[in-house]
Amino acid sequence: MSGAKIFAGTDKAIFVSDDDGLTWSAPGPQPKNALGDPAVILSLAVSGSNILAGSLDSLLVSTDDGANWTEPKTEKSGYSIPGRSLSKATACSLRRAT
């Protein structure tokens, strides 16, 4: 899939490459956790310009290739994932956009 975007989530930021991983950049303001620190990204799902990022304590959504992030909520309950105590090991997830 030459030319497709590749997204990588780490313990510091989400990065994107559009040259098969040769160069990487942060697509926009990085998602934050409840304390305002960078969200530790454990998983990514990408479909077109929509990205779902699972962090240690929340589900984050971008509908513009990672330029902006929101934490979806409903009137009855949020989609937050309960936080867990994990070691400082680097979490990493790679996904190629479809």
Side-chain angles (χ1 to χ4, degrees):
M1 281 181 68
S2 181
K5 291 182 180 179
I6 303 170
F7 291 86
T10 71
D11 63 343
K12 300 290 184 211
I14 293 176
F15 298 96
V16 63
S17 173
D18 58 8
D19 57 9
D20 291 324
L22 185 61
T23 60
W24 295 88
S25 63
Q30 294 299 303
K32 305 286 185 191
N33 66 19
L35 300 175
D37 297 324
V40 176
I41 305 302
L42 300 175
S43 62
L44 291 173
V46 180
S47 178
S49 62
N50 299 310
I51 307 169
L52 295 175
S55 75
L56 286 177
D57 59 2
S58 64
L59 173 66
L60 302 157
V61 177
S62 173
T63 57
D64 54 11
D65 275 337
N68 296 287
W69 294 92
T70 60
E71 187 175 339
K73 300 280 184 191
T74 65
E75 288 183 25
K76 294 182 180 180
S77 65
Y79 289 101
S80 294
I81 300 167
R84 295 177 292 210
S85 177
L86 298 177
S87 69
K88 280 291 200 180
T90 301
C92 183
S93 179
L94 293 174
R95 291 288 187 265
R96 184 181 292 270
T98 57

